[in-house]
Short mmCIF file of all heavy atoms in Angstrom, two decimals:
data_model
loop_
_atom_site.label_atom_id
_atom_site.label_comp_id
_atom_site.label_asym_id
_atom_site.label_seq_id
_atom_site.Cartn_x
_atom_site.Cartn_y
_atom_site.Cartn_z
N LEU A 388 -15.46 -0.15 -33.04
CA LEU A 388 -15.20 -1.55 -32.67
C LEU A 388 -14.06 -2.03 -33.54
O LEU A 388 -13.80 -1.49 -34.61
CB LEU A 388 -16.44 -2.40 -32.91
CG LEU A 388 -17.65 -2.09 -32.03
CD1 LEU A 388 -18.84 -2.97 -32.43
CD2 LEU A 388 -17.31 -2.30 -30.56
N ILE A 389 -13.39 -3.08 -33.10
CA ILE A 389 -12.18 -3.51 -33.81
C ILE A 389 -12.48 -4.01 -35.22
O ILE A 389 -11.73 -3.73 -36.14
CB ILE A 389 -11.37 -4.55 -32.98
CG1 ILE A 389 -10.01 -4.83 -33.61
CG2 ILE A 389 -12.15 -5.84 -32.76
CD1 ILE A 389 -9.02 -3.71 -33.52
N ASP A 390 -13.59 -4.74 -35.41
CA ASP A 390 -13.87 -5.27 -36.75
C ASP A 390 -15.31 -5.77 -36.85
O ASP A 390 -16.11 -5.64 -35.91
CB ASP A 390 -12.88 -6.39 -37.12
CG ASP A 390 -12.88 -7.54 -36.10
OD1 ASP A 390 -13.82 -7.63 -35.28
OD2 ASP A 390 -11.93 -8.34 -36.13
N GLN A 391 -15.62 -6.35 -37.98
CA GLN A 391 -16.99 -6.81 -38.24
C GLN A 391 -17.42 -7.90 -37.26
O GLN A 391 -18.57 -7.93 -36.82
CB GLN A 391 -17.09 -7.35 -39.67
CG GLN A 391 -18.50 -7.81 -39.97
CD GLN A 391 -18.71 -8.20 -41.41
OE1 GLN A 391 -17.75 -8.44 -42.14
NE2 GLN A 391 -19.95 -8.27 -41.83
N GLN A 392 -16.49 -8.75 -36.93
CA GLN A 392 -16.79 -9.83 -35.97
C GLN A 392 -17.27 -9.23 -34.64
O GLN A 392 -18.22 -9.73 -34.03
CB GLN A 392 -15.50 -10.62 -35.78
CG GLN A 392 -15.65 -11.95 -35.13
CD GLN A 392 -14.26 -12.51 -34.77
OE1 GLN A 392 -13.20 -12.01 -35.21
NE2 GLN A 392 -14.25 -13.54 -33.95
N ALA A 393 -16.63 -8.15 -34.22
CA ALA A 393 -17.03 -7.50 -32.97
C ALA A 393 -18.42 -6.88 -33.13
O ALA A 393 -19.25 -6.94 -32.22
CB ALA A 393 -16.02 -6.41 -32.60
N TYR A 394 -18.67 -6.32 -34.30
CA TYR A 394 -20.00 -5.73 -34.56
C TYR A 394 -21.07 -6.82 -34.55
O TYR A 394 -22.16 -6.64 -33.98
CB TYR A 394 -19.99 -4.97 -35.89
CG TYR A 394 -21.34 -4.43 -36.25
CD1 TYR A 394 -21.94 -3.41 -35.49
CD2 TYR A 394 -22.06 -4.96 -37.33
CE1 TYR A 394 -23.20 -2.93 -35.80
CE2 TYR A 394 -23.32 -4.49 -37.65
CZ TYR A 394 -23.89 -3.48 -36.88
OH TYR A 394 -25.14 -3.01 -37.18
N ASN A 395 -20.76 -7.96 -35.14
CA ASN A 395 -21.72 -9.07 -35.13
C ASN A 395 -22.02 -9.52 -33.70
O ASN A 395 -23.16 -9.85 -33.37
CB ASN A 395 -21.19 -10.26 -35.94
CG ASN A 395 -21.12 -9.93 -37.43
OD1 ASN A 395 -21.67 -8.93 -37.89
ND2 ASN A 395 -20.40 -10.76 -38.19
N GLY A 396 -20.99 -9.50 -32.86
CA GLY A 396 -21.18 -9.86 -31.45
C GLY A 396 -22.11 -8.87 -30.76
O GLY A 396 -22.96 -9.25 -29.94
N PHE A 397 -21.96 -7.61 -31.09
CA PHE A 397 -22.80 -6.54 -30.53
C PHE A 397 -24.26 -6.75 -30.91
O PHE A 397 -25.15 -6.77 -30.05
CB PHE A 397 -22.26 -5.20 -31.07
CG PHE A 397 -23.09 -3.98 -30.79
CD1 PHE A 397 -23.03 -3.34 -29.56
CD2 PHE A 397 -23.91 -3.43 -31.79
CE1 PHE A 397 -23.77 -2.18 -29.32
CE2 PHE A 397 -24.64 -2.27 -31.56
CZ PHE A 397 -24.58 -1.65 -30.31
N THR A 398 -24.52 -6.98 -32.20
CA THR A 398 -25.92 -7.13 -32.63
C THR A 398 -26.53 -8.43 -32.09
O THR A 398 -27.69 -8.46 -31.68
CB THR A 398 -26.06 -7.09 -34.17
OG1 THR A 398 -25.21 -8.08 -34.73
CG2 THR A 398 -25.68 -5.74 -34.73
N ALA A 399 -25.71 -9.49 -32.07
CA ALA A 399 -26.23 -10.77 -31.56
C ALA A 399 -26.61 -10.65 -30.09
O ALA A 399 -27.65 -11.17 -29.65
CB ALA A 399 -25.20 -11.88 -31.76
N ALA A 400 -25.78 -9.96 -29.31
CA ALA A 400 -26.07 -9.81 -27.88
C ALA A 400 -27.35 -8.99 -27.69
O ALA A 400 -28.17 -9.31 -26.82
CB ALA A 400 -24.90 -9.14 -27.17
N LEU A 401 -27.53 -7.97 -28.51
CA LEU A 401 -28.74 -7.14 -28.35
C LEU A 401 -30.00 -7.91 -28.73
O LEU A 401 -31.04 -7.76 -28.09
CB LEU A 401 -28.61 -5.84 -29.16
CG LEU A 401 -27.57 -4.86 -28.60
CD1 LEU A 401 -27.53 -3.58 -29.42
CD2 LEU A 401 -27.80 -4.54 -27.13
N SER A 402 -29.92 -8.77 -29.76
CA SER A 402 -31.09 -9.60 -30.09
C SER A 402 -31.40 -10.54 -28.94
O SER A 402 -32.57 -10.72 -28.55
CB SER A 402 -30.85 -10.45 -31.34
OG SER A 402 -30.37 -9.68 -32.37
N ALA A 403 -30.34 -11.15 -28.39
CA ALA A 403 -30.55 -12.09 -27.28
C ALA A 403 -31.15 -11.35 -26.08
O ALA A 403 -32.05 -11.86 -25.41
CB ALA A 403 -29.23 -12.76 -26.90
N ALA A 404 -30.64 -10.14 -25.83
CA ALA A 404 -31.15 -9.37 -24.68
C ALA A 404 -32.64 -9.08 -24.85
O ALA A 404 -33.42 -9.18 -23.90
CB ALA A 404 -30.36 -8.08 -24.52
#
Side-chain angles (χ1 to χ4, degrees):
L388 294 177
I389 189 71
D390 56 16
Q391 181 173 18
Q392 195 190 347
Y394 176 67
N395 292 347
F397 171 80
T398 55
L401 291 182
S402 310

